[in-house]
Amino acid sequence: MDARKARLSDIVQETGAKTIHYLYDFGDSWDHVIKLEKWFDNTTTEGLPLLLEAAGRCPPEDVGGAPGYAEYLDAIGDPAHPEHEHMRLWGPERFDPNVVVRKALEAAVNALSGGWKPRRRSTRLT
């Protein structure tokens, strides 16, 4: 499926997938796993998707994927680390990986709600 045009509801309905692996940023290779816990056929999509829970803060952009993020956290957490000052100045000010910026996440999820709704299938008249 073309990821630029695919909607999660279409992927679930057309493939029957219960787990979706989404690769974000081919250079940094962030692998996201979306697990479908339950699908209700008669449930409205109004207000979906919905942020239920979040853990941790998003890593800074272009940090170098999971290995780069681990190195970044080591460097900013240890003043004796040789890259401490460089990484501290490079990344966001006072970065705490455990702080969830819930309002920003909710705003981002709410912006997706229009894209979640299943497309109406047009019927062709013959």
Side-chain angles (χ1 to χ4, degrees):
M1 289 185 161
D2 184 342
R4 294 170 297 176
K5 298 177 183 175
R7 296 170 187 241
L8 291 176
S9 58
D10 295 337
I11 293 169
V12 169
Q13 289 175 339
E14 291 177 22
T15 67
K18 300 288 186 206
T19 301
I20 300 168
H21 286 267
Y22 171 69
L23 181 62
Y24 170 77
D25 191 339
F26 288 103
D28 286 348
S29 298
W30 289 104
D31 183 26
H32 298 276
V33 179
I34 302 167
K35 291 185 180 184
L36 178 67
E37 293 184 11
K38 194 162 192 167
W39 181 269
F40 298 96
D41 287 326
N42 60 351
T43 300
T44 177
T45 58
E46 193 65 36
L48 294 177
L50 176 65
L51 178 65
L52 297 176
E53 187 176 325
R57 186 172 175 184
C58 295
E61 194 64 36
D62 295 326
V63 76
Y69 185 48
E71 179 64 24
Y72 172 76
L73 292 177
D74 286 345
I76 66 168
D78 179 5
H81 192 285
E83 291 291 314
H84 176 76
E85 191 62 21
H86 171 73
M87 292 293 189
R88 192 183 63 75
L89 294 173
W90 173 80
E93 191 175 337
R94 295 189 209 130
F95 184 84
D96 183 343
N98 299 309
V99 172
V100 175
V101 185
R102 187 159 181 100
K103 283 190 177 192
L105 290 173
E106 285 175 340
V109 169
N110 288 339
L112 295 172
S113 64
W116 173 260
K117 295 176 185 173
R119 293 184 189 113
R120 291 183 187 254
R121 304 218 185 249
S122 60
T123 55
R124 295 173 54 171
L125 300 174
T126 56

